Amino acid sequence: AADDGDRRLRRWWPAGLAVLLVALLLGWFFLLGPGSSVTVPAVAGQPRDKAVAALEAAGLGASIEESFSEAVPAGTVISTDPTAGASAGKGSDVTLVVSKGPERYAVPDVVGSTVAEATRRLAEASLAVGKVTEKFDERIPDGQVVATAPKVGTELKKGAKVALVVSKGRQPIDVPDWTGKDATQAAKALSDLGLKVDATKQENSDTVPKGKVISQDPRDGTLYRGDPVTLVVSKGPVMVDVPQVVGKTLPEAQQLLEAAGFKVKVEEALGGFFRTVRFQDPASGQAPKGSTVTLTIV
């Protein structure tokens, strides 16, 4: 009987040992090894690095996903998967959803682009075209964007609208006619309109008073800022010396005055019998060429 017991013990020993080893291995796997479970720590609201360290301390790994958030600062954990308090296999990864901060997009530089091109580029930047207004611009050609509101580089929410100011081209200037008017006032008024005025040319004129505009080029029509306007300014009539003819005979006096470019008017005193100049007006100095000198003869 003892021999039978020994034989049964020898038969049972290898099988029992194997069962025991399996039980021990299973116990280690599920209680201490990779098959064991740990509780996911609460790391939402913590900075990314701190949250990763907390997971590692709990025997877990970290898988990072990023997401925009209006409420959670950039670099801070928004949520976890599994959530805090749940069980997870030891050594498994917990997904951390980390904030990228508010979702913002910079206004692209569309100055100089057509409206169609600006619309396309804004859409590529996750923005949209808002109100479109027009204004004259001396630099930006007609139909191209002059400015944006908000300005280029401003950070906006996704889908926000950006207003465009579009050029109507250079502003036309209606040219007023200053012919016959004061040249100084004309030059200032035309310059104030943005035109480039040349009023250096002067000419004598028997009909346009000194300091007035004889002619203007162009005289009217439409120009643009910086375009030239030329004014010819009157110096008044040509002035010549009046010959002194008192005491001379009328024929001699007339010859001298007409040779100098004057007209002669004769008035008689006491019948003008001697045909001699007694008075002249003007008596001396200068007078406009072509003007009249009055002679009184006796």
Side-chain angles (χ1 to χ4, degrees):
D3 291 337
D4 291 339
D6 289 339
R7 285 194 296 272
R8 285 195 298 271
L9 179 61
R10 285 193 296 270
R11 287 195 301 270
W12 174 85
W13 174 251
L17 181 60
V19 170
L20 178 60
L21 288 173
V22 170
L24 289 173
L25 287 172
L26 289 174
W28 172 83
F29 181 83
F30 288 107
L31 295 177
L32 299 174
S36 62
S37 295
V38 295
T39 300
V40 177
V43 294
Q46 294 183 7
R48 168 179 169 164
D49 292 345
K50 186 176 180 180
V52 170
L55 291 175
E56 291 176 347
L60 299 168
S63 174
I64 306 297
E65 292 183 2
E66 292 185 319
S67 178
F68 290 109
S69 174
E70 294 292 323
V72 180
T76 301
V77 176
I78 300 172
S79 62
T80 62
D81 183 23
T83 59
S87 294
K90 189 173 183 180
S92 64
D93 283 348
V94 173
T95 300
L96 298 179
V97 181
V98 179
S99 174
K100 294 196 290 184
E103 185 175 11
R104 296 291 184 269
Y105 297 91
V107 176
D109 185 0
V110 295
V111 173
S113 303
T114 64
V115 174
E117 175 68 11
T119 300
R120 182 185 66 80
R121 293 181 61 188
L122 286 169
E124 290 175 349
S126 299
L127 301 171
V129 174
K131 184 178 180 180
V132 178
T133 57
E134 294 182 319
K135 64 172 287 189
F136 291 110
D137 190 274
E138 297 300 313
R139 298 180 302 104
I140 305 298
D142 183 20
Q144 295 184 7
V145 176
V146 175
T148 61
K151 65 182 181 180
V152 172
T154 303
E155 298 283 335
L156 300 176
K157 290 183 178 181
K158 184 176 182 179
K161 292 184 176 181
V162 178
L164 301 179
V165 180
V166 180
S167 173
K168 294 196 293 183
R170 300 178 69 189
Q171 183 171 9
I173 300 171
D174 292 329
V175 181
D177 182 9
W178 281 86
T179 303
K181 299 177 182 179
D182 183 83
T184 301
Q185 294 179 3
K188 182 179 186 307
L190 292 169
S191 295
D192 288 345
L193 290 175
L195 301 173
K196 186 178 180 179
V197 181
D198 181 2
T200 59
K201 187 175 182 180
Q202 296 184 332
E203 294 180 359
N204 291 110
S205 174
D206 295 330
T207 57
V208 180
K210 182 178 180 180
K212 305 294 184 180
V213 177
I214 297 175
S215 64
Q216 172 181 315
D217 182 28
R219 186 167 181 171
D220 53 19
T222 300
L223 294 177
Y224 295 93
R225 182 175 293 276
D227 285 350
V229 176
T230 301
L231 301 178
V232 178
V233 182
S234 174
K235 296 192 293 182
V238 176
M239 302 297 289
V240 294
D241 294 329
V242 178
Q244 175 57 253
V245 296
V246 174
K248 297 184 183 297
T249 64
L250 178 58
E252 185 181 7
Q254 284 181 310
Q255 182 182 6
L256 288 171
L257 290 169
E258 289 173 353
F262 294 105
K263 297 177 182 178
V264 178
K265 179 181 178 182
V266 179
E267 295 181 352
E268 296 180 350
L270 302 175
F273 179 77
F274 296 102
R275 311 301 287 174
T276 302
V277 177
R278 182 74 174 95
F279 303 103
Q280 73 177 70
D281 182 26
S284 61
Q286 289 189 325
K289 187 176 182 179
S291 62
T292 299
V293 176
T294 301
L295 301 180
T296 302
I297 62 172
V298 295

